[in-house]
Amino acid sequence: GGIITQTPKFLIGQEGQKLTLKCQQNFNHDTMYWYRQDSGKGLRLIYYSITENDLQKGDLSEGYDASREKKSSFSLTVTSAQKNEMAVFLCASSIAGSAETLYFGSGTRLTVL
Amino acid sequence: TQTVSQSDAHVTVFEGDSVELRCNYSYGGSIYLSWYIQHHGHGLQFLLKYYSGNPVVQGVNGFEAEFSKSDSSFHLRKASVHWSDSAVYFCAVSPDTNAYKVIFGKGTHLHVLP
C-alpha cells in the first residue's frame, strides 16, 4: 500500500498572502491532482499533472499556481489569499491511464483572516 | 463538457435499512463513473467504478451501483446499512477522451441512525 501526505494539515493566512501547500505520495503514481472542496459545492479541479514536469489547468486554476517538482511531489500555491476564504484542499494521485481510481490525502484546511 | 448531479444533499435512514444514493450525469460520449466515500476529517476513498460490461458493479463493504445509459444514471445502493456507513458520498465522472479530468458531484451526506 501507499500513502499521500499533505502538509500542513491546517494553514492560516492573511489577505493577499502567498501560501504554499505540499503533497507527497509513495504509490509511485504518475498522475497527481489538486482539488478544492467547499461546503456544499463538492470538489473542483484546480490543477493536475499527468507525469513529472507536466501541468494541466482544471476548471478552477485562476488564482493558483502548481509545481510538480518530482514524480512523488506536487505543490499548490495560492497566489493571493482572499479574505474570509475557507476551504479544504485535497491532493490525489492515480496510476497513469487509470484516472477513474484516485487515491486522496487527508487535506489541508485553509483559513484566511 | 460532462456534468454530474447528486440530487439529494442529505439522506437519513435507520441502521439495517436499505439505501439508494442517486447520481445522474450528462455527457455525449463514453465515460468512466465512480463512487467515493468521505468520512469526516478525511480524504475521499474509492468505492467502485464502471466503464463497460455488466451494468451492476460491486464495491467494498456491500455497496453496489447500477449504470443506466437510458436514464444517464449511476445510483449507489446498499441492502443493509451500518452506523459506520454515515459519511459523504461522491459520484464522479470522467470522459474517456480525457480520463484525467475527473469531475465530482456535490456529494450526498448519508446519516445512519441507530
Side-chain angles (χ1 to χ4, degrees):
Chain A
I3 191 168
I4 294 184
T5 303
Q6 292 188 238
T7 55
K9 287 191 182 302
F10 300 94
L11 182 57
I12 299 176
Q14 302 291 328
E15 184 181 16
Q17 194 176 1
K18 189 177 192 180
L19 302 166
T20 298
L21 293 69
K22 294 190 179 294
C23 177
Q24 296 263 359
Q25 54 98 359
N26 63 1
F27 287 102
N28 199 34
H29 285 167
D30 288 295
T31 306
M32 297 185 74
Y33 307 77
W34 276 107
Y35 284 89
R36 175 179 165 131
Q37 184 175 24
D38 294 272
S39 179
K41 291 187 180 178
L43 279 71
R44 290 181 287 174
L45 182 62
I46 306 173
Y47 268 97
Y48 62 104
S49 168
I50 295 173
T51 188
E52 192 176 344
N53 296 320
D54 173 75
L55 280 178
Q56 305 285 338
K57 292 183 178 181
D59 295 329
L60 200 68
S61 61
E62 188 170 336
Y64 302 93
D65 287 327
S67 173
R68 184 80 182 271
E69 301 90 358
K70 49 187 178 181
K71 187 175 183 178
S72 61
S73 65
F74 193 31
S75 299
L76 181 73
T77 297
V78 180
T79 56
S80 179
Q82 301 299 305
K83 189 171 175 65
N84 297 323
E85 183 172 7
M86 188 181 296
V88 176
F89 291 84
L90 293 169
C91 177
S93 70
S94 70
I95 301 168
S98 181
E100 72 276 15
T101 306
L102 303 182
Y103 297 82
F104 282 85
S106 298
T108 292
R109 184 175 293 276
L110 172 66
T111 303
V112 181
L113 304 176
Chain B
T1 303
Q2 74 276 18
T3 63
V4 56
S5 170
Q6 294 181 246
S7 54
D8 299 313
H10 295 270
V11 171
T12 301
V13 295
F14 288 96
E15 197 166 30
D17 285 350
S18 62
V19 71
E20 179 177 85
L21 305 182
R22 292 194 292 262
C23 173
N24 290 89
Y25 67 91
S26 64
Y27 184 68
S30 298
I31 57 172
Y32 296 96
L33 292 153
S34 306
W35 277 96
Y36 289 79
I37 181 173
Q38 185 182 35
H39 287 104
H40 182 68
H42 293 271
L44 279 69
Q45 285 181 279
F46 172 78
L47 273 181
L48 48 76
K49 64 184 177 185
Y50 173 82
Y51 178 63
S52 64
N54 188 338
V56 179
V57 291
Q58 305 294 325
V60 297
N61 294 334
F63 286 98
E64 68 173 30
E66 184 167 4
F67 168 70
S68 170
K69 188 171 183 179
S70 59
D71 293 340
S72 298
S73 68
F74 189 56
H75 301 329
L76 181 71
R77 301 189 294 244
K78 187 168 182 178
S80 177
V81 295
H82 187 262
W83 65 266
S84 60
D85 293 325
S86 295
V88 183
Y89 292 79
F90 291 94
C91 182
V93 303
S94 57
D96 66 350
T97 52
N98 183 3
Y100 300 104
K101 199 163 184 183
V102 183
I103 304 300
F104 287 82
K106 293 184 179 181
T108 296
H109 199 154
L110 176 64
H111 306 267
V112 180
L113 303 177

